[in-house]
Amino acid sequence: MVSPFSLVRWGGPLGPRFVSGWTSRRVSLPEAEAEALHLYSYQVFKQKGSGEYALTYLLAPEVVFMYGDSDWMDAKAGKAAADAMQRSGGRSRFRIVSNAGHHLYLDNYEEFNRYVDRVLADVERET
């Protein structure tokens, strides 16, 4: 029952600094907007954990690995994980979203939404 957000909660007075560092490295915004994002993110992340603990169960039916084409995360690792899951009989998909960093749902929401809609339609057809 530990998640990356646990660090924010356990960080006490350092929690806002953890969040500020995280948001600064991942999103480039004008100063006022960046400060608003830092404050908002901290308020969300410091709340009692809930859905973050459920990800293992939520992702069990089918896992979709999506990365932005300029994501800071290693897309090769996601591709390898998706391939390994498929080889072992699991269901997974892999997608690179163009013109996007790590927050692809913001950076290129149109392509992201189209792909998610397609995945959901496929899952609905199969059930």
Side-chain angles (χ1 to χ4, degrees):
M1 298 302 285
V2 174
S3 78
F5 302 115
S6 299
L7 297 174
V8 173
R9 294 195 251 340
W10 296 336
L14 295 176
R17 179 171 242 160
F18 294 153
V19 174
S20 177
W22 175 81
T23 56
S24 294
R25 286 189 304 276
R26 285 162 181 73
V27 181
S28 177
L29 294 170
E31 188 175 338
E33 291 178 29
E35 182 61 25
L37 177 62
H38 300 328
L39 293 173
Y40 172 78
S41 297
Y42 175 67
Q43 294 301 318
V44 170
F45 296 167
K46 77 173 188 168
Q47 300 302 312
K48 183 178 179 185
S50 59
E52 66 201 64
Y53 302 127
L55 284 176
T56 302
Y57 301 103
L58 294 173
L59 297 175
E62 180 165 344
V63 179
V64 178
F65 293 91
M66 295 177 76
Y67 295 83
D69 60 0
S70 59
D71 204 319
W72 62 268
M73 291 186 72
D74 185 1
K76 291 180 279 188
K79 176 70 170 135
D83 291 346
M85 288 178 71
Q86 288 175 353
R87 284 192 303 275
S88 67
R91 296 177 48 136
S92 65
R93 299 178 193 222
F94 176 82
R95 173 76 174 212
I96 299 282
V97 174
S98 62
N99 302 312
H102 186 64
H103 297 279
L104 47 131
Y105 51 88
L106 292 174
D107 298 335
N108 189 344
Y109 65 89
E110 292 159 330
E111 183 177 336
F112 174 84
N113 289 343
R114 275 193 306 272
Y115 188 70
V116 169
D117 284 345
R118 186 175 336 139
V119 169
L120 292 173
D122 289 350
V123 169
E124 185 176 11
R125 264 193 309 280
E126 295 168 5
T127 57

